[in-house]
Structure formats: structure tokens, C-alpha cells
Amino acid sequence: NAGVTQTPKFQVLKTGQSMTLQCAQDMNHEYMSWYRQDPGMGLRLIHYSVGAGITDQGEVPNGYNVSRSTTEDFPLRLLSAAPSQTSVYFCASSYFNSPSMNSPLHFGNGTRLTVT
Amino acid sequence: AQTVTQSQPEMSVQEAETVTLSCTYDTSESDYYLFWYKQPPSRQMILVIRQEAYKQQNATENRFSVNFQKAAKSFSLKISDSQLGDAAMYFCAYRSASAAGNKLTFGGGTRVLVKP
């Protein structure tokens, strides 16, 4: 199994450009999410989805859009990149946890994005 | 909102010795989950250990163990018999048990250096 696959691994954008970070998982996980990692701040939740057709905002959603048309894919879109979006981005998935369940998050290997 | 604080930006340990990483969290909830993740230079996020708040017994995974102090809202990680492969960033994370899904709140991380 591939697990959680993120593409690309690295990307450089100019301010104002748009792009989509791809995330795909082959574990039939209902739950998928995007985090950004910045030095000293750990990982912060951008958007998440509890199933196809359902998305919601996390802690730092501004400047990012998501959609979930299939169970497998959860792309993250930057419509107009800004230098503040320079970061490492992680996609993570798991089975849907009810409050009493605790299936672990599976992470992709990250995308390092630089906006100049 | 919950917050997770890791007060040690960096810790250094001699190979074969023990190091303890600190983590405190702020929550008004009584039921939750706590995690330690390891991030080596490869950028991969690896689950090291997890603790359910309702369990009084501290979790242990081989050379990794936690000291969970619920009243003090403290969740430290002890790495025994440190190995060169333990060198990495370590993140403490919190998940509410009252919310569905799998949203984690991360601390800022502690870098562990292992000296041969």
C-alpha cells in the first residue's frame, strides 16, 4: 500500500500565482486533513474533511481552499500565493473517529512550498 | 481552544543515556487523547506513543515511556538508552475525545540531538 501520497515534494511559486497540492490515500479513510508546519509553531490545521462532499475549516484556513469529491483525494488549493504561505504542508488521513475511537493519523511526506 | 506547549526548543543527550521532553497542555475537558510524534530529517511524521486520559497507567513503547500527570496537565516523554536514530524533532499533540473526527493540536516541537 502507498499510504498517503503527496505531490509535489517541493514547489517554488511567485507571489500571486496559484497552485494545487495533491493528496491521495489508498486506505479507504473517511477523514482527511491538511496541516502546515512552521518553525517553532508545530503543525497547524488548515482544513479537514470527514467524508466525500464534506469539508470544514481548521485553525488557519485563510488563503486556502479544499474540496473532497472522492474518498481518496483531498487537494489543497492556493488561489493567490503569498510569502506568508511559505511552509511545509502535510496531508494526513485516518478512519473516522467517534469520540470513543482513536485510530491514528497517517501522514504524507510533506510538500515544501516557497513563495517569493 | 486547547493549547499545547513544549518549553524546550532543543535537548541534547549522550548516546545510551536518558532524556525527558516536557509537554503541558491547557484544556477544560476531562476526556482526551495525547500523543508524541517523531519527525526525523526525512520529514516523515511517526507516531511514537499515545495515552488515553481516562487511563491512569502510563503508556510505554519499548524505550519510550510517558509520565502523564492529569491534574497538572503534563505529558512528558522519556527516551531511555538513547540511540543515534532517535535524533529528530518531537511533537506533543492533543485530541479532544468529545469531537468526532481526528483534529490534533500540536506543540511547537523539541529538537533532540544525540551525541555519540
mmCIF file with all atom_site columns, all heavy atoms in Angstrom, chain A residues 44-56:
data_model
loop_
_atom_site.group_PDB
_atom_site.id
_atom_site.type_symbol
_atom_site.label_atom_id
_atom_site.label_alt_id
_atom_site.label_comp_id
_atom_site.label_asym_id
_atom_site.label_entity_id
_atom_site.label_seq_id
_atom_site.pdbx_PDB_ins_code
_atom_site.Cartn_x
_atom_site.Cartn_y
_atom_site.Cartn_z
_atom_site.occupancy
_atom_site.B_iso_or_equiv
_atom_site.pdbx_formal_charge
_atom_site.auth_seq_id
_atom_site.auth_comp_id
_atom_site.auth_asym_id
_atom_site.auth_atom_id
_atom_site.pdbx_PDB_model_num
ATOM 1  N N   . ARG A 1 44 ? -0.176  23.156 12.264 1.00 0.00 ? 44 ARG A N   1
ATOM 2  C CA  . ARG A 1 44 ? -1.468  23.806 12.473 1.00 0.00 ? 44 ARG A CA  1
ATOM 3  C C   . ARG A 1 44 ? -2.453  23.358 11.402 1.00 0.00 ? 44 ARG A C   1
ATOM 4  O O   . ARG A 1 44 ? -2.111  23.302 10.227 1.00 0.00 ? 44 ARG A O   1
ATOM 5  C CB  . ARG A 1 44 ? -1.317  25.334 12.462 1.00 0.00 ? 44 ARG A CB  1
ATOM 6  C CG  . ARG A 1 44 ? -0.534  25.883 13.651 1.00 0.00 ? 44 ARG A CG  1
ATOM 7  C CD  . ARG A 1 44 ? -0.382  27.387 13.560 1.00 0.00 ? 44 ARG A CD  1
ATOM 8  N NE  . ARG A 1 44 ? 0.449   27.787 12.443 1.00 0.00 ? 44 ARG A NE  1
ATOM 9  C CZ  . ARG A 1 44 ? 0.570   29.023 11.987 1.00 0.00 ? 44 ARG A CZ  1
ATOM 10 N NH1 . ARG A 1 44 ? -0.141  30.005 12.538 1.00 0.00 ? 44 ARG A NH1 1
ATOM 11 N NH2 . ARG A 1 44 ? 1.363   29.294 10.966 1.00 0.00 ? 44 ARG A NH2 1
ATOM 12 N N   . LEU A 1 45 ? -3.675  23.091 11.829 1.00 0.00 ? 45 LEU A N   1
ATOM 13 C CA  . LEU A 1 45 ? -4.693  22.538 10.948 1.00 0.00 ? 45 LEU A CA  1
ATOM 14 C C   . LEU A 1 45 ? -5.256  23.620 10.030 1.00 0.00 ? 45 LEU A C   1
ATOM 15 O O   . LEU A 1 45 ? -5.699  24.677 10.488 1.00 0.00 ? 45 LEU A O   1
ATOM 16 C CB  . LEU A 1 45 ? -5.808  21.920 11.793 1.00 0.00 ? 45 LEU A CB  1
ATOM 17 C CG  . LEU A 1 45 ? -6.937  21.224 11.046 1.00 0.00 ? 45 LEU A CG  1
ATOM 18 C CD1 . LEU A 1 45 ? -6.418  20.014 10.271 1.00 0.00 ? 45 LEU A CD1 1
ATOM 19 C CD2 . LEU A 1 45 ? -8.018  20.806 12.031 1.00 0.00 ? 45 LEU A CD2 1
ATOM 20 N N   . ILE A 1 46 ? -5.275  23.318 8.724  1.00 0.00 ? 46 ILE A N   1
ATOM 21 C CA  . ILE A 1 46 ? -5.781  24.278 7.742  1.00 0.00 ? 46 ILE A CA  1
ATOM 22 C C   . ILE A 1 46 ? -7.248  23.970 7.418  1.00 0.00 ? 46 ILE A C   1
ATOM 23 O O   . ILE A 1 46 ? -8.141  24.801 7.602  1.00 0.00 ? 46 ILE A O   1
ATOM 24 C CB  . ILE A 1 46 ? -4.940  24.223 6.447  1.00 0.00 ? 46 ILE A CB  1
ATOM 25 C CG1 . ILE A 1 46 ? -3.466  24.468 6.742  1.00 0.00 ? 46 ILE A CG1 1
ATOM 26 C CG2 . ILE A 1 46 ? -5.443  25.274 5.449  1.00 0.00 ? 46 ILE A CG2 1
ATOM 27 C CD1 . ILE A 1 46 ? -2.551  24.222 5.535  1.00 0.00 ? 46 ILE A CD1 1
ATOM 28 N N   . HIS A 1 47 ? -7.475  22.786 6.881  1.00 0.00 ? 47 HIS A N   1
ATOM 29 C CA  . HIS A 1 47 ? -8.830  22.317 6.551  1.00 0.00 ? 47 HIS A CA  1
ATOM 30 C C   . HIS A 1 47 ? -8.892  20.825 6.813  1.00 0.00 ? 47 HIS A C   1
ATOM 31 O O   . HIS A 1 47 ? -7.863  20.145 6.820  1.00 0.00 ? 47 HIS A O   1
ATOM 32 C CB  . HIS A 1 47 ? -9.161  22.560 5.070  1.00 0.00 ? 47 HIS A CB  1
ATOM 33 C CG  . HIS A 1 47 ? -9.470  23.971 4.709  1.00 0.00 ? 47 HIS A CG  1
ATOM 34 N ND1 . HIS A 1 47 ? -10.648 24.597 5.037  1.00 0.00 ? 47 HIS A ND1 1
ATOM 35 C CD2 . HIS A 1 47 ? -8.738  24.880 4.022  1.00 0.00 ? 47 HIS A CD2 1
ATOM 36 C CE1 . HIS A 1 47 ? -10.634 25.836 4.564  1.00 0.00 ? 47 HIS A CE1 1
ATOM 37 N NE2 . HIS A 1 47 ? -9.482  26.031 3.940  1.00 0.00 ? 47 HIS A NE2 1
ATOM 38 N N   . TYR A 1 48 ? -10.118 20.332 6.977  1.00 0.00 ? 48 TYR A N   1
ATOM 39 C CA  . TYR A 1 48 ? -10.285 18.903 7.136  1.00 0.00 ? 48 TYR A CA  1
ATOM 40 C C   . TYR A 1 48 ? -11.598 18.453 6.519  1.00 0.00 ? 48 TYR A C   1
ATOM 41 O O   . TYR A 1 48 ? -12.473 19.279 6.188  1.00 0.00 ? 48 TYR A O   1
ATOM 42 C CB  . TYR A 1 48 ? -10.216 18.492 8.616  1.00 0.00 ? 48 TYR A CB  1
ATOM 43 C CG  . TYR A 1 48 ? -11.329 19.030 9.478  1.00 0.00 ? 48 TYR A CG  1
ATOM 44 C CD1 . TYR A 1 48 ? -12.444 18.245 9.767  1.00 0.00 ? 48 TYR A CD1 1
ATOM 45 C CD2 . TYR A 1 48 ? -11.251 20.299 10.034 1.00 0.00 ? 48 TYR A CD2 1
ATOM 46 C CE1 . TYR A 1 48 ? -13.460 18.735 10.567 1.00 0.00 ? 48 TYR A CE1 1
ATOM 47 C CE2 . TYR A 1 48 ? -12.265 20.790 10.830 1.00 0.00 ? 48 TYR A CE2 1
ATOM 48 C CZ  . TYR A 1 48 ? -13.367 20.009 11.102 1.00 0.00 ? 48 TYR A CZ  1
ATOM 49 O OH  . TYR A 1 48 ? -14.368 20.497 11.896 1.00 0.00 ? 48 TYR A OH  1
ATOM 50 N N   . SER A 1 49 ? -11.719 17.133 6.372  1.00 0.00 ? 49 SER A N   1
ATOM 51 C CA  . SER A 1 49 ? -12.913 16.553 5.752  1.00 0.00 ? 49 SER A CA  1
ATOM 52 C C   . SER A 1 49 ? -13.235 15.235 6.447  1.00 0.00 ? 49 SER A C   1
ATOM 53 O O   . SER A 1 49 ? -12.339 14.425 6.671  1.00 0.00 ? 49 SER A O   1
ATOM 54 C CB  . SER A 1 49 ? -12.660 16.306 4.262  1.00 0.00 ? 49 SER A CB  1
ATOM 55 O OG  . SER A 1 49 ? -13.688 15.522 3.709  1.00 0.00 ? 49 SER A OG  1
ATOM 56 N N   . VAL A 1 50 ? -14.503 15.045 6.774  1.00 0.00 ? 50 VAL A N   1
ATOM 57 C CA  . VAL A 1 50 ? -14.913 13.795 7.427  1.00 0.00 ? 50 VAL A CA  1
ATOM 58 C C   . VAL A 1 50 ? -15.546 12.821 6.446  1.00 0.00 ? 50 VAL A C   1
ATOM 59 O O   . VAL A 1 50 ? -15.996 11.748 6.853  1.00 0.00 ? 50 VAL A O   1
ATOM 60 C CB  . VAL A 1 50 ? -15.861 14.058 8.616  1.00 0.00 ? 50 VAL A CB  1
ATOM 61 C CG1 . VAL A 1 50 ? -15.153 14.878 9.688  1.00 0.00 ? 50 VAL A CG1 1
ATOM 62 C CG2 . VAL A 1 50 ? -17.138 14.729 8.163  1.00 0.00 ? 50 VAL A CG2 1
ATOM 63 N N   . GLY A 1 51 ? -15.564 13.186 5.173  1.00 0.00 ? 51 GLY A N   1
ATOM 64 C CA  . GLY A 1 51 ? -16.085 12.282 4.156  1.00 0.00 ? 51 GLY A CA  1
ATOM 65 C C   . GLY A 1 51 ? -16.265 13.024 2.850  1.00 0.00 ? 51 GLY A C   1
ATOM 66 O O   . GLY A 1 51 ? -16.200 14.266 2.802  1.00 0.00 ? 51 GLY A O   1
ATOM 67 N N   . ALA A 1 52 ? -16.492 12.272 1.785  1.00 0.00 ? 52 ALA A N   1
ATOM 68 C CA  . ALA A 1 52 ? -16.675 12.881 0.466  1.00 0.00 ? 52 ALA A CA  1
ATOM 69 C C   . ALA A 1 52 ? -17.816 13.886 0.514  1.00 0.00 ? 52 ALA A C   1
ATOM 70 O O   . ALA A 1 52 ? -18.885 13.616 1.062  1.00 0.00 ? 52 ALA A O   1
ATOM 71 C CB  . ALA A 1 52 ? -16.936 11.797 -0.569 1.00 0.00 ? 52 ALA A CB  1
ATOM 72 N N   . GLY A 1 53 ? -17.556 15.066 -0.028 1.00 0.00 ? 53 GLY A N   1
ATOM 73 C CA  . GLY A 1 53 ? -18.554 16.127 -0.085 1.00 0.00 ? 53 GLY A CA  1
ATOM 74 C C   . GLY A 1 53 ? -18.644 16.992 1.143  1.00 0.00 ? 53 GLY A C   1
ATOM 75 O O   . GLY A 1 53 ? -19.420 17.956 1.185  1.00 0.00 ? 53 GLY A O   1
ATOM 76 N N   . ILE A 1 54 ? -17.833 16.695 2.162  1.00 0.00 ? 54 ILE A N   1
ATOM 77 C CA  . ILE A 1 54 ? -17.897 17.437 3.429  1.00 0.00 ? 54 ILE A CA  1
ATOM 78 C C   . ILE A 1 54 ? -16.516 17.993 3.757  1.00 0.00 ? 54 ILE A C   1
ATOM 79 O O   . ILE A 1 54 ? -15.548 17.227 3.860  1.00 0.00 ? 54 ILE A O   1
ATOM 80 C CB  . ILE A 1 54 ? -18.347 16.522 4.584  1.00 0.00 ? 54 ILE A CB  1
ATOM 81 C CG1 . ILE A 1 54 ? -19.673 15.840 4.251  1.00 0.00 ? 54 ILE A CG1 1
ATOM 82 C CG2 . ILE A 1 54 ? -18.465 17.330 5.877  1.00 0.00 ? 54 ILE A CG2 1
ATOM 83 C CD1 . ILE A 1 54 ? -20.043 14.739 5.215  1.00 0.00 ? 54 ILE A CD1 1
ATOM 84 N N   . THR A 1 55 ? -16.416 19.314 3.916  1.00 0.00 ? 55 THR A N   1
ATOM 85 C CA  . THR A 1 55 ? -15.160 19.928 4.336  1.00 0.00 ? 55 THR A CA  1
ATOM 86 C C   . THR A 1 55 ? -15.451 20.973 5.403  1.00 0.00 ? 55 THR A C   1
ATOM 87 O O   . THR A 1 55 ? -16.568 21.488 5.500  1.00 0.00 ? 55 THR A O   1
ATOM 88 C CB  . THR A 1 55 ? -14.411 20.590 3.167  1.00 0.00 ? 55 THR A CB  1
ATOM 89 O OG1 . THR A 1 55 ? -15.209 21.665 2.654  1.00 0.00 ? 55 THR A OG1 1
ATOM 90 C CG2 . THR A 1 55 ? -14.125 19.596 2.063  1.00 0.00 ? 55 THR A CG2 1
ATOM 91 N N   . ASP A 1 56 ? -14.427 21.298 6.176  1.00 0.00 ? 56 ASP A N   1
ATOM 92 C CA  . ASP A 1 56 ? -14.586 22.314 7.208  1.00 0.00 ? 56 ASP A CA  1
ATOM 93 C C   . ASP A 1 56 ? -13.246 22.979 7.465  1.00 0.00 ? 56 ASP A C   1
ATOM 94 O O   . ASP A 1 56 ? -12.190 22.446 7.104  1.00 0.00 ? 56 ASP A O   1
ATOM 95 C CB  . ASP A 1 56 ? -15.135 21.691 8.497  1.00 0.00 ? 56 ASP A CB  1
ATOM 96 C CG  . ASP A 1 56 ? -15.919 22.700 9.328  1.00 0.00 ? 56 ASP A CG  1
ATOM 97 O OD1 . ASP A 1 56 ? -15.788 23.923 9.075  1.00 0.00 ? 56 ASP A OD1 1
ATOM 98 O OD2 . ASP A 1 56 ? -16.651 22.274 10.244 1.00 0.00 ? 56 ASP A OD2 1
#
